[in-house]
Amino acid sequence: MKCPTCNGDCILPARKVLDDILGMYMACGSCPPDPEFIKNLPLSDKIDSQSGLCPECKKRHLDFIMGNVLTILKEKGLFPQDALLREVGTPLISFGYQIPYPPRLGAKNIVLIMDSITKDIAEEIVEKVPEIKGVVKRRGLQSQSIGILDTDSSPHTYDLLSGCDMRCDVVLSLFGELCVYKNQSKIHIEFNNTKIKKMEELYLKGELEGAVVIDGFCGPGTLGLLSVLGGAKKVIFNDAWLPALRNTILNIKVNSSLLGLKIVFENPDHNELIGNEPLLLARAQGAAEVMVYHGDIRKLDMAVKESDICLIDTFPSMAPARFMAVCRDMTKKIIII
């Protein structure tokens, strides 16, 4: 499957990712030892693309990669000579997974989020540091959520300066695994297992089996896809932010063999960034019936009249209570995630 961002081959089927993930970032027998860089002290070494490279598996320890980037930043005068390794940026591994060991990374394995970067230097980083897949410039505060808070707010996104920002998080639960792809310059960065635990609680109580579930603020679709895995007979995805829904539809396709779903309708030409009245973007059938709507959840009752569960997963800065009243008209039970 071609990546919608770079038209490359960085979108892998979920089964392929899950089969390979345990050994994807392991060191081989020929890998050099871990570097002894101290992240809160200036890095004096000059690191290039060959530094720390394993002659066998062609992977490098993450610290060598970040040191390679830091060397370029210092050579270009963007960072001072006494800059620290931890000041470079936030590296997001292309297939995110809880790794119990220091990762060894190969080509195009990192999307790098940076605060201080220019487009020309970002392009040089992608060209000269093989492991960097894309460079994204952060806008605003790190705590500021990417996307839209509601349909009345202006979108907040980061800037993809070079390469590709598509990456995947491997989602593990008691009742199955998923791969959730997202454009990281347009979708909120999450490191939160609490949501998965709440879905596991619903599953263990038998509340997902045969249920009609609304994923009201679906983002890239994680909770709704877990609902399908957990036995829901129908799942309605809804979000007001179009880039999130494009990722949702992609994730239905990528996980189709795990979910037992097939897309039977898709509207690829719709390009309104912020939704209002619910517009059907995609429909899938198989193990469950799936509908993907672009719109304001406060108007979703124009398309959805009833459900068993409505999942409300808003950004941390937004109080979910403001949406609960309208959701009560569509569902028997509201779950705040």
Side-chain angles (χ1 to χ4, degrees), residues 15-16 24 65-67 80 84 96 118 126 164 179 188 234 309:
R15 285 195 185 277
K16 170 66 174 172
M24 190 176 289
I65 300 165
M66 299 300 282
L84 310 180
T118 62
V126 171
C164 179
C179 290
H188 186 54
K234 183 175 182 178
I309 297 171

Side-chain angles (χ1 to χ4, degrees), residues 12 133 154 164 176 190 234 237 264 273 288 290 320-321 325 329:
L12 300 179
K133 177 181 182 179
S154 299
C164 179
E190 290 187 309
K234 183 175 182 178
F237 294 86
V264 295
L273 272 181
V290 168
D329 295 333

Side-chain angles (χ1 to χ4, degrees), residues 56-246:
E56 187 68 27
C57 68
K58 305 300 181 184
K59 296 179 182 179
R60 290 199 287 175
H61 189 285
L62 177 61
D63 287 354
F64 278 116
I65 300 165
M66 299 300 282
N68 194 169
V69 174
L70 179 56
T71 297
I72 293 173
L73 295 172
K74 291 194 292 186
E75 289 174 348
K76 293 296 180 180
L78 192 61
F79 275 35
Q81 292 302 309
D82 61 352
L84 310 180
L85 196 62
R86 59 182 174 83
E87 295 173 333
V88 172
T90 304
L92 301 177
I93 298 175
S94 56
F95 295 96
Y97 179 73
Q98 290 186 335
I99 307 168
Y101 48 82
R104 302 294 174 130
L105 303 164
K108 306 302 179 188
N109 261 180
I110 293 175
V111 174
L112 184 58
I113 312 292
M114 304 183 71
D115 291 299
S116 300
I117 190 64
T118 62
K119 182 172 177 58
D120 58 331
I121 297 178
E123 290 173 347
E124 185 167 341
I125 289 171
V126 171
E127 178 185 353
K128 292 185 175 180
V129 185
E131 298 86 359
I132 302 297
K133 177 181 182 179
V135 174
V136 174
K137 183 175 183 179
R138 193 192 324 268
R139 295 174 59 203
L141 300 175
Q142 188 169 351
S143 59
Q144 192 173 357
S145 299
I146 305 174
I148 56 171
L149 294 177
D150 56 37
T151 55
D152 299 319
S153 64
S154 299
H156 176 71
T157 60
Y158 292 173
D159 297 324
L160 175 60
L161 297 185
S162 184
C164 179
D165 66 341
M166 183 68 76
R167 57 174 299 277
C168 166
D169 284 322
V170 175
V171 177
L172 306 177
S173 77
L174 292 174
F175 51 95
E177 298 81 34
L178 293 168
C179 290
V180 178
Y181 285 87
K182 55 192 76 173
N183 287 104
Q184 213 61 84
S185 65
K186 300 175 183 178
I187 303 296
H188 186 54
I189 300 170
E190 290 187 309
F191 304 98
N192 189 346
N193 288 327
T194 304
K195 299 177 182 182
I196 310 303
K197 292 186 182 302
K198 288 193 175 183
M199 296 302 294
E200 289 174 337
E201 290 173 7
L202 289 174
Y203 173 76
L204 292 173
K205 292 176 182 177
E207 295 188 45
L208 293 178
E209 184 66 35
V212 177
V213 178
I214 298 173
D215 187 355
F217 299 81
C218 68
T222 306
L223 301 182
L225 295 175
L226 282 171
S227 298
V228 176
L229 272 183
K233 70 177 181 181
K234 183 175 182 178
V235 177
I236 297 107
F237 294 86
N238 180 81
D239 205 290
W241 181 231
L242 182 61
L245 294 172
R246 292 299 179 207

